[in-house]
Amino acid sequence: MKKLFLTTAVLLMAFVAQAQTKIAPKLENGFKAVYTDVSTIEAAQTPIKVTSETEYAVSNVTPNGAVITVTTTSVKIDADESNPMMAIMTAASKMLEGVAVKFNTDADGQVLSVANLDEVKAKASAMTKTLIDKIFENNPSIADMVPREGLEKQFADSMSEKAFIASVTTNSVLGLNGKTIANGATDSSEIEGMKTKRMFFVAGKKIIVNSTLDMTKEELKDLIVKKVAEQAPDQAEMVKQNIDLVMDQMKPEISAKVTYTMQDNGWPLSITSEMTQTMMGQTEKHTEVTTLKQ
């Protein structure tokens, strides 16, 4: 019996050892990879489809790290932009079009910081001003629903270093860099400001990541009040006083599944993600497929 137990334990350890992998993409001066991305949001309105192409270029390689320059070279939006809410939802996709963002990484390609942060903020700010001007010009009545100051604040918050890093690491090309991934391993992450718990699975060249909402009711209350205070300050106190009723109506839920198919050089061949978000009885589905072009 002891011998059988020992044999089983050794086999289990061998299986666990095999079912883990370290993600450390090849970092070589001059290396470039171009990815196409097709993102679709299905909600109560007409579906929104965003197709983009992004180049990743490696430079300044040292034993301690490198610079990966990420440039979204084109963005095509298939949506009814005469609908003001759709125009707002898609505007963020255009914010960094044509802007080269230089990310400092460690030797494993894990993103540490934005090397040209001030330059990127300035260009993104100019672009968002143009986008917001267009939204209010085409839809004057939107001011009754979304104050311009709240919308500007929302876009300004998306121009932080943390937000720029999240754009290339959340279910994205650089997202797994530096991680040693084993079957059943877990960590914490964020989706649209909400904390989630992720669980990892390894199957050959594929890495599967499942995410679920991981916030207490009190944390959700605080987040809702904070978001309302940022985007509609005049309604913040009312929401705060009625937060229990708001919570009962909203009942937020998030679940996501992301599948990475990796290459031998540590760069993804493709990434497929499916996210479902439920709030106030309404379900929104977001699917995204990222594919290596060259």
Side-chain angles (χ1 to χ4, degrees):
M1 180 65 72
K2 288 183 179 180
K3 183 177 180 180
L4 177 60
F5 176 79
L6 180 61
T7 301
T8 303
V10 169
L11 289 173
L12 180 61
M13 289 175 63
F15 172 76
V16 171
Q18 289 176 354
Q20 67 177 17
T21 184
K22 172 72 177 287
I23 306 301
K26 181 180 181 181
L27 299 177
E28 185 177 74
N29 284 321
F31 175 86
K32 290 184 179 180
V34 176
Y35 290 86
T36 58
D37 185 276
V38 180
S39 177
T40 304
I41 299 174
E42 298 179 18
Q45 311 101 329
T46 305
I48 299 170
K49 183 178 179 181
V50 179
T51 304
S52 61
E53 188 166 291
T54 303
E55 179 189 84
Y56 294 74
V58 179
S59 64
N60 300 83
V61 178
T62 71
N64 298 318
V67 172
I68 299 179
T69 301
V70 180
T71 310
T72 298
T73 55
S74 67
V75 178
K76 179 183 177 183
I77 297 172
D78 183 7
D80 179 11
E81 293 189 65
S82 65
N83 180 321
M85 299 313 294
M86 286 195 179
I88 291 172
M89 290 176 69
T90 57
S93 303
K94 302 281 288 184
M95 189 173 70
L96 290 177
E97 184 177 14
V99 179
V101 187
K102 299 179 183 295
F103 293 97
N104 294 315
T105 78
D106 65 12
D108 293 328
Q110 183 173 7
V111 177
L112 304 175
S113 63
V114 179
N116 60 336
L117 183 60
D118 291 340
E119 175 191 357
V120 172
K121 279 186 174 182
K123 290 182 177 180
S125 180
M127 176 64 81
T128 54
K129 183 182 184 306
T130 300
L131 293 168
I132 292 172
D133 286 345
K134 183 179 177 182
I135 289 171
F136 279 86
E137 180 182 336
N138 293 342
N139 307 277
S141 62
I142 195 176
D144 297 330
M145 298 181 291
V146 182
R148 184 183 180 104
E149 295 76 13
L151 190 56
E152 289 175 343
K153 177 69 167 59
Q154 183 177 338
F155 276 99
D157 288 345
S158 68
M159 287 182 235
S160 66
E161 183 173 47
K162 179 180 178 182
F164 291 139
I165 291 174
S167 72
V168 293
T169 58
T170 303
N171 304 339
S172 192
V173 172
L174 308 181
L176 298 181
N177 292 358
K179 291 184 176 294
T180 298
I181 299 169
N183 273 325
T186 62
D187 72 1
S188 297
S189 186
E190 281 190 9
I191 297 178
E192 298 183 3
M194 289 185 274
K195 293 193 298 183
T196 61
K197 180 180 180 180
R198 301 193 299 180
M199 181 170 286
F200 298 84
F201 300 92
V202 182
K205 295 289 185 182
K206 294 185 183 295
I207 297 170
I208 301 167
V209 187
N210 292 326
S211 301
T212 53
L213 187 65
D214 189 29
M215 296 179 71
T216 65
K217 191 172 183 178
E218 293 305 313
E219 287 174 329
L220 285 167
K221 288 181 183 179
D222 291 343
L223 178 65
I224 291 168
V225 172
K226 178 184 176 183
K227 291 295 184 184
V228 172
E230 289 174 352
Q231 299 174 26
D234 56 323
Q235 299 180 33
E237 186 58 32
M238 180 188 69
V239 171
K240 186 175 181 180
Q241 295 299 324
N242 296 277
I243 189 61
D244 288 318
L245 177 61
V246 172
M247 280 295 300
D248 288 341
Q249 292 177 336
M250 293 185 76
K251 298 179 180 178
E253 288 292 338
I254 284 182
S255 62
K257 178 182 179 181
V258 184
T259 302
Y260 294 79
T261 302
M262 306 301 295
Q263 302 178 92
D264 291 337
N265 65 0
W267 288 81
L269 179 64
S270 66
I271 306 167
T272 302
S273 71
E274 301 172 349
M275 183 181 77
T276 301
Q277 180 174 336
T278 302
M279 195 170 293
M280 298 187 70
Q282 300 295 316
T283 298
E284 179 179 291
K285 294 183 178 180
H286 182 186
T287 61
E288 188 167 1
V289 178
T290 304
T291 308
L292 179 67
K293 182 178 179 181
Q294 63 181 54

